[in-house]
Amino acid sequence: MQEIGGDVMFLAPDGLRLLSATERLGDFGLSVVSKPIQEEATSFISSHTSFTSVVIRKKSQYRILGYKTNLTNRSSKGILGTQFSGQGGEGMAWAEVQGINAHVADSRFYLGRETVVFSNDDGYLYSMENGSSFDGGNVETSFATPYLPISDPRVRKTFYKMLLYTDPRGSVSFDISLKLDFDQKNSVQPTKIDFSNQTGQVAFFGSTTFGSSAVYSSKLLTLFESQMIGTGYVVSLQFTSDSTDPPFSLDAITLEYGTNTRR
């Protein structure tokens, strides 16, 4: 049970619920905010024996992690919820985390710095939100947009160009795949596109040795432009990365396409 954005979030047998105020006097809300991910929430609850939760204040984020004896870190999962509105569950965005078999987790905010830790049964205390690797290994990430019909779902579109606006904190590389027509059988899918925002040997304070060939004045790309190949009725964009690169955020994306005649 954790407080986030003025609401109290807790785990119930049917998912994550909010204990929040309503417009009526003496009343309160008890809605299930995890309904958009009901299948994932049910699987998460059934596959673990105990749970622990923690709040990341700087991100307005609630994380619940599962624990089970003899469960490998690779198989353990958790649910991450980020609050984008003032109160209520309508502005929650959800994600699934993997690789943390946590028996207990906690966070503290002291002198302007937030410390988030967790532990299991191996005798170590691990720190979250620190560095860009996962215990020295790569961090695997995946994000996919919903399938978008783009005006009319029964008119075929031909995609020509993409403009991607990002906000990186360092040198990053990732892949983008154009998924067409729900990726069904016999549908032709374009090959993935590789992106990297390095324009040269860029140096970052604290991670580069003075006197090396890297240059501190080099700039990173924040706007990516790429030609695209593909045609379909609905489209989804899937982003994947597997590295120790610093975090980056996706701000906006623009697709240039042409519409074909209705058949």
Side-chain angles (χ1 to χ4, degrees), residues 11-46:
L11 181 66
D14 54 351
L16 292 168
R17 288 181 175 269
L18 277 183
L19 181 62
S20 56
T22 66
E23 296 179 351
R24 294 180 294 183
L25 294 176
D27 192 18
F28 58 88
L30 201 64
S31 59
V32 180
V33 294
S34 60
K35 279 193 175 296
I37 55 164
Q38 188 63 46
E39 182 178 350
E40 290 78 5
T42 303
S43 174
F44 168 71
I45 294 173
S46 62

Side-chain angles (χ1 to χ4, degrees), residues 134-177:
F134 195 85
D135 197 20
N138 288 354
V139 178
E140 298 181 21
T141 61
S142 176
F143 168 74
T145 67
Y147 279 93
L148 307 172
I150 308 181
S151 68
D152 193 332
R154 296 312 305 158
V155 172
R156 181 175 291 275
K157 298 92 180 173
T158 301
F159 300 94
Y160 300 111
K161 190 176 182 180
M162 178 185 65
L163 295 172
L164 177 64
Y165 300 85
T166 64
D167 183 17
R169 297 184 183 179
S171 175
V172 297
S173 57
F174 54 92
D175 301 328
I176 298 181
S177 300

Side-chain angles (χ1 to χ4, degrees), residues 214 232 235 243:
V235 60
S243 66

Side-chain angles (χ1 to χ4, degrees), residues 249-262:
S249 59
L250 306 172
D251 289 341
I253 189 169
T254 300
L255 294 176
E256 295 184 7
Y257 64 94
T259 56
N260 301 328
T261 57
R262 186 186 299 271

